[in-house]
Amino acid sequence: MASRSSITEEDFYCPICCDIFMDPILLPCSHSICNGCVKTFWNRRGIQECPICRSVSSNPNPPINIVLRNMCDLMREQTTQEPPVETVEFCSLHGEPLTFFCAEDQELVCGTCRNAKPHKNHRIRLTADASKDLRQELQLKLKAFLEKLRVYERIKQSWDETAEYIKKQSQQTETKIKEAFEKLHQFLENEEAARMTALRKEEEQKSEIIKKKIEEIRSGMLSLSRIIESIEEQLRRNDFTFLVNYKAAIERTKCTLRDQTRPSGMLLNVAKHVGNVTFEVSKKLQANVRYTPVTFDPNTAHPYLLLSDDLTCITYTDEHFQQLPANPERFDGYTSILGSEGFNSGTHCWDVEVGDSAAWAVGVITESAYKHRQTPSKTGLWYVGFSNGKYGKGYSPEILTLLRVSQRIQRIRVQLDWDKGKVTFTDAGRNIGLHVFKHTFTEKVFPYFYSHCMKHPMRIIPVQTAVEVHI
């Protein structure tokens, strides 16, 4: 890594107060900050981290950077006791010292220039006074730009973290997609194998029947051949011998043979094996596929909420705080999350299993109320919830009224009729209506969920699906 070849004046200024260091302390990450500045920063943040690189320090009393402190004390003394030697320049027109400064023209002038027409009615000041005031003004601008630079550095760090998180998201999502399609591939392979087995079984069964039929025919043909040979031999004999053996010959012709009729249904049932095969497989697949009308949006999840791989279950935890990017969609106040899809028409319904959770809320929220949740409006959220042993209903974050419930709710159903402007809540376990909100919707609304219980996760319940035929 390349390093600077010399120390500049900036190295003696605290990045927080932008003044010469006062009792600078040395953090484990090698950055130095004024002792008072870093203590104030830590108290405000609630965590002992470096204001520059965010590295956490385990020592609440870092050591003083003695070398830097001594250098800063010396620099401070030189600044106050030994003013720099001023270089005197002379006016090119009048040959007099440039001892004045014109504020309007932003240039040095001599005593004669001061009274000349070009500078008439201008604000003319001594160079020392003008320099002092302008230095202070420029110092303020420098502080502002240094602060802006630190803001940009923090923003850049945030974007760097977001870029890394996107890579992680992509890898995890790719794995989930492959796992899902692997299950589909395995199902199709198993279904293909089962159908091939059924085909081979039918082929073997019918081939065996035909084989037996052929054996019966061969046996009958042999019997017929023997009778025919006997009759032909009898016919070749003389009259006396023929008549003597006639009775025996007639007895042999009385041999009964089964009529060989061709039974139906001996060909393979091709229609059974390949007729509507994709439709039949789809029906079977549908019966084994879980479908949830709503899935959670992980990009809106509060960092205390852990999501299942299929995005249908959330678990509250503050023991394993997730390092997630501070994207604007994410809830950072209430431990809430949205559904992945918003609705601006039609009817929609989903059931949520809350179990014995100690604190929860479900409902819908408008897009505008969600985007301005840092400064919540008076309306835009309709929900039913449970907290502190009581059930309540509300249509904004601040307005909540008690809801009379005779038995504990284990599963709650939310029905949204956007066109008619209704949000209906039902105790799905007992099919008992809880409350109906009425509102004329004019924008997209999203399913809303809040959970604050470690022991009991919140889960969206899958629904039964079927492949339909429309004629």
Side-chain angles (χ1 to χ4, degrees), residues 60-79:
N61 297 300
I64 297 294
N65 190 336
I66 298 176
V67 175
L68 180 59
R69 182 189 65 181
N70 293 339
M71 295 177 69
C72 289
D73 290 344
L74 180 61
M75 182 179 179
R76 194 178 292 106
E77 290 175 4
Q78 292 176 346
T79 302

Side-chain angles (χ1 to χ4, degrees), residues 290-296 310-312 349-350 460-463 465:
R290 290 165 52 90
Y291 171 75
T292 50
V294 171
T295 56
F296 295 116
D310 60 359
L311 307 180
T312 63
C349 178
W350 56 94
I460 300 174
I461 300 174
V463 298
T465 60

Side-chain angles (χ1 to χ4, degrees), residues 136-199:
Q136 292 178 351
E137 180 181 336
L138 197 58
Q139 187 69 26
L140 292 175
K141 291 183 179 294
L142 175 61
K143 285 185 178 182
F145 280 112
L146 288 173
E147 179 61 28
K148 177 69 72 173
L149 178 60
R150 284 190 288 273
V151 171
Y152 270 69
E153 288 174 348
R154 290 194 293 269
I155 294 175
K156 179 182 177 299
Q157 181 180 359
S158 175
W159 280 114
D160 290 340
E161 293 173 353
T162 301
E164 289 298 320
Y165 184 75
I166 288 175
K167 292 181 181 179
K168 181 180 178 181
Q169 265 190 320
S170 177
Q171 293 172 354
Q172 293 175 342
T173 305
E174 180 179 341
T175 299
K176 293 175 183 178
I177 291 174
K178 288 182 177 180
E179 289 175 353
F181 275 90
E182 182 60 33
K183 291 179 180 179
L184 289 175
H185 294 158
Q186 190 61 52
F187 171 83
L188 292 175
E189 288 176 3
N190 293 341
E191 187 65 19
E192 178 186 6
R195 287 180 172 271
M196 295 299 290
T197 299
L199 174 63

Side-chain angles (χ1 to χ4, degrees), residues 86 94 201 209 216 245 247 260 291 324 342 377 412:
E86 293 289 343
H94 308 105
K201 184 176 181 180
I209 293 173
E216 290 179 1
N245 295 292
K247 184 177 181 180
Q260 295 300 321
Y291 171 75
L324 301 173
S377 60
I412 186 168

Side-chain angles (χ1 to χ4, degrees), residues 14 28 44 48 97 118 128 211 255 267 280 294 344 346:
C14 173
R44 187 183 301 116
Q48 297 175 181
K211 182 179 178 182
C255 175
L267 297 181
E280 295 298 330
V294 171
N344 56 10

Side-chain angles (χ1 to χ4, degrees), residues 9 15 45 165 276 280 426 432:
E9 187 176 346
R45 295 278 295 179
Y165 184 75
N276 290 319
E280 295 298 330
T426 307
I432 298 175

